[in-house]
Amino acid sequence: MRTTTLEDRLRQRLGDALLTQEPLRHHTTMRIGGAADFYFAARNPHQLVEALKAAREFALPLFLLGGGSNLLVSDDGFRGLVLRNAIEEIEFDGTAAQVGCGTDFLELIYACRDRDLAGLEFAAGIPGSVGGALYGNAGCYGQDIGSFTIECTVASLDGAQVLTRPAAWFEFAYRDSRLKRDPWVLLSCLLQFRRGARDAIQTVIEEKLEVRRVKHPQWRVEPTAGSYFKNLPPGFQVPGLPHSPGTQRIPAGALLDACDCRGLRVGDALVFPKHANIIVNAGRATAKDVLTLAELMKARVRVKFGVTLEEEVMFLGERPRLESGRV
Ligand SMILES: Cc1cc2nc3c(=O)[nH]c(=O)nc-3n(C[C@H](O)[C@H](O)[C@H](O)COP(=O)(O)OP(=O)(O)OC[C@H]3O[C@@H](n4cnc5c(N)ncnc54)[C@H](O)[C@@H]3O)c2cc1C
């Protein structure tokens, strides 16, 4: 008689949507990453909580995936369960909306436009899910999603608790939220918008998409995870540069530009020629290529400015050993 495997037991709990040995490069905008032992896309909160409980019961390492747009995955993949939040409903109520955290961010912006609701259009072109955006408080042009948030519903990692907490609890800050230190799983959020004119909202959306089209890689054809390093804090004194007290963050790209990083290449990992803080996968880049290139960029900035850049892109899986390289 055949013994029951971990896969059998997981499949009993999660059904046939459970995938095994799923290549994670299919689920990241960098198109890099080995296979996950198990992969499951939860389409509703019940499925997601069930998957959390099953992962805990079977002592499986767990990674929660949104759109995979801020992520570099190891070439060896992930030994555990990758749980994709694919809860995608949007329910409008006046100028507010209850949004499933697997909803695509741009789809939400279009849905708001179609109901004459303004607010998030500044973010048109940020890929990924609403949950991923809340986790890292995604934003640009000095605005972010956290400031539109009234409350979010989260599950504990073991699936035992589901709670609704007000925005303040999430401690939204620049590319940061409490969830980076105290992990909970975002199920849905209540966001507040304001009345706006559909045409004006559409104009802003088009402008933002056009700026990105000109300056940034098109991730569907030039795979990338966007800005690789975080910008420096406001008023940060970069050694060797004139002090400019103020509220603007110093872009990491400015330091990388001063170090001639555009066009640097390791294997098929390439610093985007139009933006020094973006790494693209120019063919068959491996995670190791990207990490080696990122170390080279950091080393140049460290040598020239004495500043250590901090990664914005997250890494999943085992880190490979990198050869100490050139500067
Ligand atoms: C071309 C390009 C341009 C970009 N421009 C910007 C920009 O202007 N501003 C900006 O802020 N970012 C930008 N990004 C980065 C990225 O798009 C954002 O960080 C995005 O919000 C990540 O969402 P995601 O769903 O893809 O998250 P993922 O990459 O899937 O995950 C990121 C993290 O969020 C966690 N997470 C995901 N979903 C949940 C959930 N439901 N509950 C709890 N944790 C969760 C994951 O565990 C992981 O730790 C850009 C990326 C690209 C490729």
Side-chain angles (χ1 to χ4, degrees), residues 59-76:
L60 265 179
L62 176 79
F63 180 75
L64 198 79
L65 181 71
S69 67
N70 202 27
L71 202 60
L72 176 63
V73 179
S74 161
D75 302 312
D76 295 331

Side-chain angles (χ1 to χ4, degrees), residues 164-175:
T164 298
R165 289 284 178 261
W169 187 83
F170 292 88
E171 298 166 6
F172 292 117
Y174 173 73
R175 297 301 90 82

